Amino acid sequence: MRKDRLYFFTFIAMTAIFIIVAPVAVKFFVKASIKQLLETQLESSKREAKEINALVGFQLASGLDTRTVIDNVQKSIENTNTETGFISMFDWSSNVFCHPDRTKVGQKVAADQSFVANIDFEITIDDFYEIFIGKEKANEITSLDQGGGTSGMIFMCRPENSDWIIGAHVNLSKISDQVVSLRNQFYTIFVIMGFVLILLSVITVRLIGSFYEKNLEFEKKNLESEVLNLAKLNTALGEYQQKMNVEKPAEIEPKATASKKESEGKKETAGDTGKQRILTYLRNELLPVATSEIAYIYTENTITYVVDVNGKRSTTNSSLDELYNGLDSSFFYRANRQSIIAISAIDKIIRYGNNQLKIVVKPNSDVDIIIGKNKASEFKQWLNL
């Protein structure tokens, strides 16, 4: 149930992010596309007007009379496609005498139909875009299907040796239709893309979640196995400590008896049972400590400390290697490079890190006693498990 809620909230979050980001992205791409469309139309209209301008100038320079030149221009532009743009020619009084639609000949160019102030002014793409968007927002662009339509002059030039003006017009209603179609396409693409992206994101989250769930389940089983093993280990430790206490040899014999044995040549070798005591220092005092009373030994800052079962701490000049070689290996264990522990001092064993063991001792130790994963198996064998 929790997983289903997680996937549901993931879907809601991705949808919310897309709803926030998509309008900004669509607006940016639509603006760039509109500018590209207007720029193409602007350059095309300028180029066509300049070609007619060059033709008129050449004919006038060749000595043709004005009537013939006008007729030639009218024939050139008559019945041309006026859906996106067209060329017209008029005089300084704005009287049109050349137009693709002959019914427009003789009419005047309306002042609001020109987007350029004079023939020396060339409209830029940014100006053209602002004009178009402004008219679109003001609903000044009507559809050709309604018998209306808005055209505007975006470029003017004057042929040499004449007082005529050639104007390049664009049909804003046609461009508006193209822009509407462009917007619809972008919104359709973004809706489809958003749906696919959100769906793929949810599927990906689900696949990743399933993968991690399997890993967590596997780790959970391993952890349960480790906990079970640690429980067995601590149980066996308690049994082994009881066994060691029962089988523990008698304490140090009286000094007189020991001297007598030494004189009789019956001294046991150190390798069989280990040392009975070690010499330590407590400030300026020499302090022998019976090995049976040692809880653990550790080094810190190059100093070797010996801690007895009562928590009393003293130091020794011997290294851990020297001490461990002289101790009974069935009673003491070298946990790591910094510590030696007695079986009787182990309170409990805790799983630590990656397959490591942490030994909790009594009395408490100032430093953590950690058995690495490479020695964990050896430690268990030492406990006769």
Side-chain angles (χ1 to χ4, degrees):
M1 188 66 183
R2 289 183 178 179
K3 292 188 290 184
D4 294 336
R5 291 180 64 184
L6 173 63
Y7 300 144
F8 175 73
F9 286 135
T10 301
F11 175 79
I12 295 298
M14 292 297 299
T15 303
I17 292 172
F18 180 79
I19 291 175
I20 295 172
V21 173
V24 178
V26 170
K27 185 177 180 180
F28 172 79
F29 284 116
V30 167
K31 180 178 180 180
S33 299
I34 292 175
K35 278 195 170 185
Q36 185 65 39
L37 178 65
L38 295 178
E39 185 176 15
T40 301
Q41 184 61 50
L42 179 62
E43 294 301 322
S44 175
S45 298
K46 284 182 178 181
R47 184 172 58 254
E48 188 176 2
K50 288 178 180 179
E51 289 176 354
I52 297 295
N53 182 69
L55 176 63
V56 172
F58 175 76
Q59 290 181 352
L60 291 175
S62 299
L64 293 179
D65 60 279
T66 57
R67 184 70 261 171
T68 302
V69 174
I70 292 174
D71 290 341
N72 290 339
V73 173
Q74 181 62 36
K75 289 178 182 179
S76 299
I77 65 175
E78 192 170 356
N79 297 324
T80 55
N81 186 4
T82 60
E83 285 193 358
T84 56
F86 58 90
I87 300 296
S88 69
M89 192 161 65
F90 51 92
D91 57 24
W92 288 95
S93 299
S94 301
N95 295 315
V96 178
F97 50 84
C98 286
H99 197 282
D101 184 2
R102 279 189 174 273
T103 60
K104 303 291 184 180
V105 175
Q107 296 182 5
K108 284 184 174 290
V109 178
D112 59 352
Q113 288 185 336
S114 179
F115 301 149
V116 290
N118 51 64
I119 58 175
D120 297 324
F121 177 81
E122 285 196 22
I123 190 172
T124 64
I125 182 60
D126 291 328
D127 295 333
F128 193 13
Y129 175 79
E130 295 297 332
I131 292 170
F132 174 79
I133 295 299
K135 287 187 171 293
E136 192 178 45
K137 288 181 178 179
N139 293 323
E140 295 179 1
I141 302 176
T142 57
S143 174
L144 289 172
D145 297 334
Q146 298 174 348
T150 301
S151 66
M153 194 182 309
I154 57 175
F155 180 71
M156 290 189 298
C157 56
R158 183 176 66 85
E160 295 182 2
N161 305 316
S162 72
D163 58 354
W164 302 334
I165 299 175
I166 296 175
H169 302 255
V170 292
N171 198 321
L172 298 182
S173 59
K174 184 64 178 179
I175 296 176
S176 179
D177 292 341
Q178 293 176 347
V179 169
V180 170
S181 176
L182 192 65
R183 283 198 183 104
N184 292 336
Q185 289 177 10
F186 268 111
Y187 280 114
T188 302
I189 291 172
F190 266 79
V191 168
I192 295 173
M193 185 179 68
F195 176 78
V196 172
L197 181 62
I198 293 171
L199 183 62
L200 290 177
S201 298
V202 173
I203 293 174
T204 302
V205 169
R206 185 161 188 172
L207 291 175
I208 295 174
S210 299
F211 173 76
Y212 277 103
E213 284 173 7
K214 290 179 180 178
N215 287 345
L216 288 175
E217 188 67 25
F218 179 75
E219 290 181 1
K220 181 180 178 182
K221 290 181 179 179
N222 287 342
L223 181 59
E224 290 175 352
S225 177
E226 288 287 340
V227 171
L228 184 60
N229 290 336
L230 284 177
K232 292 179 179 179
L233 189 62
N234 282 288
T235 302
L237 173 63
E239 294 175 353
Y240 187 60
Q241 286 175 333
Q242 292 178 359
K243 178 183 175 182
M244 290 295 295
N245 289 332
V246 171
E247 297 179 354
K248 182 178 178 181
E251 290 291 340
I252 304 172
E253 297 183 23
K255 294 182 179 180
T257 305
S259 301
K260 182 178 180 181
K261 287 185 177 181
E262 289 176 4
S263 63
E264 294 175 353
K266 296 181 179 179
K267 180 181 177 182
E268 297 181 345
T269 59
D272 294 330
T273 59
K275 290 183 177 181
Q276 297 299 315
R277 66 184 63 81
I278 60 175
L279 185 63
T280 65
Y281 299 88
L282 185 60
R283 289 182 291 276
N284 296 325
E285 178 185 355
L286 291 176
L287 182 67
V289 179
T291 55
S292 59
E293 297 297 321
I294 295 175
Y296 53 89
I297 306 170
Y298 70 96
T299 60
E300 186 177 26
N301 298 325
T302 69
I303 300 175
T304 303
Y305 296 95
V306 178
V307 181
D308 65 12
V309 293
N310 297 317
K312 188 175 182 180
R313 188 175 72 166
S314 55
T315 63
T316 177
N317 292 331
S318 301
S319 66
L320 283 185
D321 290 334
E322 294 172 345
L323 292 173
Y324 185 65
N325 290 334
L327 295 172
D328 186 352
S329 60
S330 63
F331 194 71
F332 291 94
Y333 182 75
R334 181 72 178 270
N336 49 49
R337 292 181 178 180
Q338 289 80 32
S339 57
I340 299 171
I341 55 176
I343 185 71
S344 58
I346 300 177
D347 184 28
K348 55 184 166 181
I349 305 167
I350 303 173
R351 185 175 181 268
Y352 183 83
N354 186 18
N355 297 325
Q356 296 177 325
L357 300 175
K358 181 177 180 179
I359 310 301
V360 179
V361 293
K362 290 193 302 183
N364 292 332
S365 172
D366 293 337
V367 295
D368 291 336
I369 301 175
I370 307 298
I371 296 179
K373 61 181 180 180
N374 295 330
K375 296 193 67 174
S377 177
E378 178 187 288
F379 177 69
K380 294 175 183 179
Q381 292 178 1
W382 178 70
L383 291 176
N384 290 335
L385 298 180

